[in-house]
Amino acid sequence: MCKLTLFRCVVNDAQRKVKEAKPQKILVYKDYLQLDNKILNAQDRESGRDGDPPHHDEMFFIIVHQVYELWFKSNIHDLRSVMDSLKNVELVKLNRVNEKMTRMTSIMKICVDQLHTLETLNPAEFMGFRSYLFPASGFQSYQFRIFENTFGLKHKSRSEFGRQHYKQDHPSDILKQIDTSEEEKTFVDVLESWLAKVFREEPQSKVFWEKFEKGVKGTIEDIKSKNKSPEEEQKAVAIWQSVIKKELHDKKIIDGHRKMSFDAWRGALMITYLRNRQEKYAVAHNFLNLVRDADNLLMKWRYHHVQMVHRQIGDKAGTGGTTSGYSYLKSTVGDQYRVFKDLFDFHGFLLEPKHLPDYYDL
Ligand code: HEM
């Protein structure tokens, strides 16, 4: 018997002994998903505890919230991974990042749509179990807070309407997680550094910027030839100059009109213009669009949620205690809750083709 065959016999014998000693458990669906011991056993209704029958619709109400929390978990997981990749990612390797961003935005679309299911809850039936829920509220969804913070919503941007602090009512271990999500670098920070790095390191940046600057100067000449009032002209010229002069851009950041650094802003502009020139910029442009989609979808969720709340409870106080849940929620759908505002704003500074005639040669 050759040495190799002998070795195989010994290994097979060892494997057989292990199998005999420990009968292998065959994994089945319900165990893999922990269905009967956890997931399907986690819908304890508050109604019906004092002898009355439990309210039929409360089961649905709990399940809808649980499904949301599972989607929030998946999105936090993907967002953190995207942020991690952006620390090093080269433009050409963005495809995997885009896959995760696409999954996140698909889930966010489901989260917006899923609010429709709550519109099947008759407000009169909701009253049948709502009183049991006090003082619990979606306001206390810590995963939602961790997602908002990690995405880049700053504490100072939060609505001050009502008496509540968004971190109240959490036990210390949860509070620690929320605090960490507030203190750590956010998606906005990571994206900003990445865009600035793209601008500093990509070989096409210098040529692109020279042409773009020339185009802005041409746009300014156009404005000056249009017989505007001196005030109007000055204002329009100053705005365009702030696109190409770092000190003016930085002043806009100090005044709160822009958030991204000058280089990040230039990186985003470059990606937008070069998207049709090279595959790597097309992928990067797709990525920026997915970031805009995510920002939009979070806004859409807020808007859809407040509409649904108004329909369910009018402008009553929320179970979490905001004096008027509807008015508080309305105050969260404004621009201060838009995290990537700059990625939308700079589209106001794209040039007319005549000012960037050799755009296709870039
Ligand atoms: C009938 C269904 C619902 C009603 C009537 C309702 C009502 C409210 C109200 C009134 C508030 C303001 C805070 C308060 O005083 O409680 C609130 C906040 C919130 N709700 Fe809902 N909600 C419902 C369903 C949901 C669902 C399914 C979710 C998904 C997780 C959710 C997530 C949230 C979040 C995250 C907040 C905090 C929003 C913020 O502070 O920006 N809600 N909800």
Side-chain angles (χ1 to χ4, degrees):
M1 198 185 290
C2 78
K3 273 185 186 170
L4 187 64
T5 318
L6 181 64
F7 174 73
R8 279 203 192 112
C9 284
V10 173
V11 171
N12 285 346
D13 199 39
Q15 281 174 342
R16 188 174 45 77
K17 276 185 186 149
V18 170
K19 275 189 187 162
E20 275 169 9
K22 240 180 159 189
Q24 247 193 355
K25 196 176 158 218
I26 297 167
L27 189 63
V28 290
Y29 179 83
K30 76 174 176 56
D31 295 338
Y32 179 58
L33 299 176
Q34 304 198 53
L35 292 185
D36 49 357
N37 61 347
K38 288 195 176 154
I39 305 282
L40 299 181
N41 243 322
Q43 290 76 33
D44 286 344
R45 286 176 273 190
E46 286 297 314
S47 61
R49 289 183 191 271
D50 47 9
D52 301 334
H55 196 290
H56 175 86
D57 289 356
E58 194 187 348
M59 173 73 82
F60 156 75
F61 186 82
I62 294 173
I63 290 174
V64 174
H65 283 80
Q66 287 176 335
V67 171
Y68 269 108
E69 291 297 334
L70 288 175
W71 285 137
F72 293 163
K73 182 167 182 175
S74 175
N75 272 356
I76 292 169
H77 182 64
D78 276 336
L79 179 61
R80 284 183 175 149
S81 158
V82 164
M83 287 165 62
D84 213 40
S85 306
L86 282 187
K87 284 178 195 152
N88 314 305
V89 83
E90 295 160 44
L91 283 186
V92 279
K93 291 189 186 154
L94 268 181
N95 270 322
R96 179 77 180 121
V97 167
N98 282 352
E99 282 169 9
K100 289 176 195 157
M101 285 297 300
T102 307
R103 178 160 55 213
M104 268 174 56
T105 53
S106 307
I107 289 174
M108 289 168 98
K109 282 179 197 155
I110 294 175
C111 286
V112 175
D113 266 3
Q114 193 169 292
L115 284 164
H116 284 300
T117 65
L118 276 160
E119 288 162 4
T120 67
L121 176 62
N122 185 301
E125 295 297 334
F126 185 32
M127 287 309 287
F129 62 91
R130 186 169 181 252
S131 62
Y132 298 110
L133 309 179
F134 284 91
S137 160
F139 193 80
Q140 297 156 347
S141 166
Y142 64 90
Q143 291 203 103
F144 187 78
R145 299 316 185 187
I146 289 173
F147 185 82
E148 282 181 315
N149 289 344
T150 310
F151 198 59
L153 183 66
K154 294 278 175 247
H155 196 168
K156 62 177 184 320
S157 303
R158 290 185 182 278
S159 163
E160 286 178 355
F161 184 96
R163 61 177 173 79
Q164 286 192 316
H165 191 287
Y166 89 98
K167 285 198 273 185
Q168 76 175 35
D169 296 332
H170 293 294
S172 60
D173 56 329
I174 302 286
L175 198 57
K176 205 163 151 217
Q177 291 181 46
I178 302 178
D179 282 343
T180 308
S181 69
E182 241 181 19
E183 288 150 16
E184 278 180 345
K185 275 199 185 319
T186 66
F187 188 30
V188 174
D189 301 329
V190 173
L191 185 91
E192 182 182 333
S193 311
W194 178 80
L195 281 171
K197 197 160 158 252
V198 167
F199 188 77
R200 283 188 218 115
E201 292 180 8
E202 283 300 310
Q204 288 82 359
S205 309
K206 194 167 172 288
V207 178
F208 162 74
W209 193 247
E210 279 166 8
K211 288 179 191 285
F212 186 79
E213 256 184 340
K214 208 167 141 208
V216 170
K217 285 176 186 157
T219 307
I220 291 176
E221 288 314 309
D222 259 9
I223 294 170
K224 288 183 176 166
S225 68
K226 276 191 180 148
N227 279 338
K228 288 177 183 277
S229 71
E231 298 78 42
E232 273 180 340
E233 183 182 305
Q234 208 184 12
K235 208 170 147 198
V237 169
I239 290 177
W240 276 100
Q241 277 175 336
S242 75
V243 185
I244 51 170
K245 292 198 167 147
K246 182 175 181 313
E247 63 282 8
L248 296 179
H249 177 92
D250 288 350
K251 176 141 191 330
K252 290 231 169 260
I253 294 180
I254 293 166
D255 296 343
H257 298 304
R258 284 183 201 157
K259 289 182 186 164
M260 278 198 295
S261 72
F262 190 52
D263 277 354
W265 172 267
R266 296 200 286 179
L269 271 165
M270 181 171 85
I271 288 169
T272 306
Y273 275 106
L274 300 191
R275 74 193 186 286
N276 288 330
R277 307 302 302 147
Q278 282 185 37
E279 178 62 17
K280 62 180 180 180
Y281 291 114
V283 180
H285 184 254
N286 189 12
F287 170 56
L288 292 187
N289 264 340
L290 287 164
V291 174
R292 286 185 200 97
D293 287 348
D295 206 9
N296 268 348
L297 284 160
L298 200 52
M299 300 283 278
K300 283 180 187 165
W301 185 88
R302 290 185 204 284
Y303 186 70
H304 200 164
H305 174 256
V306 65
Q307 299 300 322
M308 180 278 295
V309 170
H310 193 199
R311 181 174 178 153
Q312 285 297 344
I313 58 168
D315 71 351
K316 260 195 183 150
T319 48
T322 50
T323 38
S324 153
Y326 172 59
S327 302
Y328 161 69
L329 292 169
K330 255 199 314 188
S331 72
T332 67
V333 292
D335 246 5
Q336 86 272 22
Y337 275 78
R338 187 180 277 298
V339 170
F340 288 97
K341 189 165 172 294
D342 288 28
L343 285 188
F344 293 80
D345 282 347
F346 84 79
H347 285 167
F349 299 107
L350 300 180
L351 299 170
E352 285 181 47
K354 66 176 178 181
H355 292 304
L356 207 53
D358 45 3
Y359 157 47
Y360 283 104
D361 301 330
L362 283 170

